[in-house]
Amino acid sequence: MGRRLVLEHVRFAGVVAAALIAVYAVIKYRLYGGWRRFDLLLALAIALAIATVSFVPQVGNVFLGLFDLQNRGFALLVVSNLALFGLFLYLLNQLRQNGLKNGRLVSGLAIREYRERFGLRKKADGRADGSERRLLVLVPAYNEAPTILQVLRTLPESVLGYRVDVLVVDDGSTDGTEEILLSAGYPVAVHAVNRGQGDALRTGFEIACLEGADIVVNFDADGQYRAEDLEDLIRPVVEGEADYVHGSRFLGFYEEAGSVRHLGVVFFSRLISLLSGQRITDATNGFRAIRGSEVAKLDLREESFSATELILEALRNDLRLVEVPVSMLKRAEGESKKPKRLRYPLGVLRVIIQTWLR
C-alpha cells in the first residue's frame, strides 16, 4: 500500500513537472520572443515524454522490448543519456543566443560610431523629397587591405538612374583596412572585434535602412565579383519584377567549375530548392540585390554562413526572388576567410536546417 502511494506521488510530481515545462516554453516563445520554434518543440517533447512516463509506466516496458534491454538499470541509463543529449542541444542553442546578443552589441556600437563620423547620408543629400534614387553597395571586409581599394574603384558612380553609394563594414580587421578606407574617403562602419560576415551584413543592412537606400547590393571585397554585372543584377528590382535578386555563377561564369566546392554548392542548392519549393542554382553566392523597403523584414541571426539564411528568409517573407547570371572569379589576392575542411559544409547545413525550422 505504501509503495503504491509513493508511486502515485511520483507520477503526480512528473505530471506537474511536465505541465510547468510546457507552460514555461509556450510563455517564453509567445510572449517574450526569446525562443525559436526549435526551442519550443524541444521543450514540449521533453514535457510530453515526462508526462507519458508518469501516466503510463508501461511505456518503460515497451522501451525495454524495443531495444531488447533486459536490465532496467541499464535502460534507465540509456534514457538518461538521451535526455542529457537533448539538454546538450539546448545549451548549444543558448550559447548561440548569447552570441547573437553579443553580435547586436558590437553592431550597435559600430552604427553609433558610424553616425558620429559620417551622419546619415539620407539627411545630407536631399533624398527625403524623392528627387534622387540611391543604390547602396554594402561590402563586408576582414583583413582585405591588399585588394579593397582596387575592388571599390571598379564600382560605377551610377547605374540605371541610381546613384551608387558605398558602405564598407570592417569586421574587426587587424591589417589597416579601416585606415586605408578612411584615407581614400570611403565611409566605413567598424566592428571592434571580428564577428563574421553575417554580423557584418546585419550592421550594413541596418545602416541601409536608416539611410533609406532604395536598393541594397552585397559585394565582396576579394575581387571575385565583377562590377560589370551590377546592371543586370539590379534590373529586375528596378523594373518591379523582383524584390530579391540572387546572382548565380552556374547560370553565368564560374572560374573554379568542377572543384569540390562546386559539388558542395550544387548539393546545398538542391537541398534549399527542395525545402523552399523554388529552384535555386547557387545557394552560397554572396552577390545579391534587395529592395531597400524589404530589408527590414529579414530576421537574420547567423554570424558566418549568411547566404543560405538570406535566401530562406526572403522566401519565408514572400519576397519575389529571381536568379540572374553573374561571373565568379578566383580571389584577386590572399586566402579565403571561409572555415577549412568540413567546418564550412557542416556550418552551411546547420544554418539551412535552423532557418527552415523557424
Side-chain angles (χ1 to χ4, degrees):
M1 185 68 180
R3 182 181 178 186
R4 180 176 296 179
L5 184 61
V6 171
L7 287 175
E8 290 298 328
H9 286 164
V10 171
R11 290 177 185 176
F12 178 75
V15 172
V16 171
L20 290 176
I21 292 173
V23 170
Y24 175 79
V26 172
I27 290 175
K28 191 75 173 177
Y29 178 73
R30 288 289 185 184
L31 299 183
Y32 294 98
W35 280 16
R36 298 174 304 166
R37 190 178 301 170
F38 174 79
D39 304 321
L40 176 65
L41 293 176
L42 179 60
L44 291 179
I46 293 173
L48 179 61
I50 295 174
T52 301
V53 172
S54 300
F55 269 120
V56 189
Q58 291 81 5
V59 170
N61 297 329
V62 175
F63 183 82
L64 286 171
L66 181 64
F67 292 95
D68 196 23
L69 299 175
Q70 303 301 322
N71 187 294
R72 285 182 174 273
F74 184 69
L76 179 61
L77 182 61
V78 172
V79 173
S80 300
N81 284 333
L82 291 175
L84 286 174
F85 181 69
L87 291 175
F88 173 71
L89 292 178
Y90 170 74
L91 289 175
L92 281 180
N93 179 67
Q94 291 301 106
L95 287 174
R96 289 195 56 77
Q97 292 298 317
N98 290 334
L100 183 59
K101 292 177 182 178
N102 291 337
R104 287 171 177 165
L105 176 61
V106 171
S107 178
L109 292 173
I111 293 171
R112 185 177 71 176
E113 182 184 32
Y114 174 86
R115 295 182 69 168
E116 291 174 352
R117 277 180 172 180
F118 306 103
L120 293 180
R121 284 175 284 183
K122 168 182 167 181
K123 295 179 180 179
D125 62 15
R127 171 66 182 86
D129 62 5
S131 60
E132 186 176 21
R133 297 179 297 179
R134 296 181 57 238
L135 166 66
L136 180 66
V137 178
L138 169 58
V139 185
Y142 174 59
N143 288 343
E144 298 288 1
T147 61
I148 186 70
L149 288 183
Q150 177 184 349
V151 169
L152 295 182
R153 285 167 179 162
T154 66
L155 296 170
E157 294 184 359
S158 65
V159 57
L160 294 181
Y162 285 74
R163 192 188 82 196
V164 175
D165 289 332
V166 175
L167 168 64
V168 179
V169 179
D170 180 358
D171 188 31
S173 295
T174 57
D175 65 346
T177 295
E178 176 189 359
E179 291 76 13
I180 290 173
L181 291 167
L182 291 175
S183 64
Y186 286 101
V188 54
V190 182
H191 284 176
V193 294
N194 178 246
R195 291 291 308 170
Q197 188 183 62
D199 272 3
L201 289 176
R202 276 201 300 272
T203 297
F205 284 144
E206 187 166 345
I207 292 175
C209 291
L210 291 172
E211 293 191 341
D214 296 285
I215 301 175
V216 183
V217 168
N218 295 155
F219 198 78
D220 282 358
D222 55 15
Q224 287 191 287
Y225 302 132
R226 299 170 66 250
E228 291 83 353
D229 292 329
L230 192 57
E231 182 173 323
D232 291 334
L233 186 76
I234 71 167
R235 190 182 303 278
V237 177
V238 173
E239 296 180 351
E241 298 173 357
D243 305 304
Y244 185 114
V245 183
H246 196 77
S248 172
R249 74 194 91 177
F250 301 122
L251 298 178
F253 172 73
Y254 184 27
E255 202 165 36
E256 294 183 294
S259 63
V260 174
R261 179 176 296 178
H262 179 151
L263 297 176
V265 175
V266 170
F267 169 76
F268 290 125
S269 299
R270 291 182 178 176
L271 178 59
I272 285 186
S273 299
L274 177 65
L275 295 176
S276 67
Q278 177 161 337
R279 182 172 181 263
I280 302 295
T281 65
D282 191 357
T284 63
N285 201 303
F287 196 16
R288 63 184 70 87
I290 309 174
R291 190 179 303 279
S293 58
E294 305 297 311
V295 170
K297 295 180 180 179
L298 306 178
D299 179 16
L300 304 177
R301 308 175 188 178
E302 175 56 31
E303 297 174 9
S304 301
F305 310 100
S306 57
T308 51
E309 181 187 41
L310 275 159
I311 292 173
L312 290 171
E313 270 296 301
L315 294 174
R316 189 169 71 90
N317 286 279
D318 298 322
L319 272 65
R320 295 169 297 165
L321 187 152
V322 300
E323 284 188 308
V324 298
V326 298
S327 296
M328 189 167 183
L329 312 176
K330 295 180 180 179
R331 284 182 61 91
E333 193 171 335
E335 295 183 356
S336 172
K337 307 303 188 298
K338 292 182 175 64
K340 303 296 184 183
R341 299 181 178 87
L342 290 177
R343 287 182 59 200
Y344 180 73
L346 290 177
V348 174
L349 181 62
R350 171 185 58 77
V351 172
I352 291 174
I353 294 172
Q354 289 181 335
T355 307
W356 185 68
L357 285 173
R358 288 178 192 170

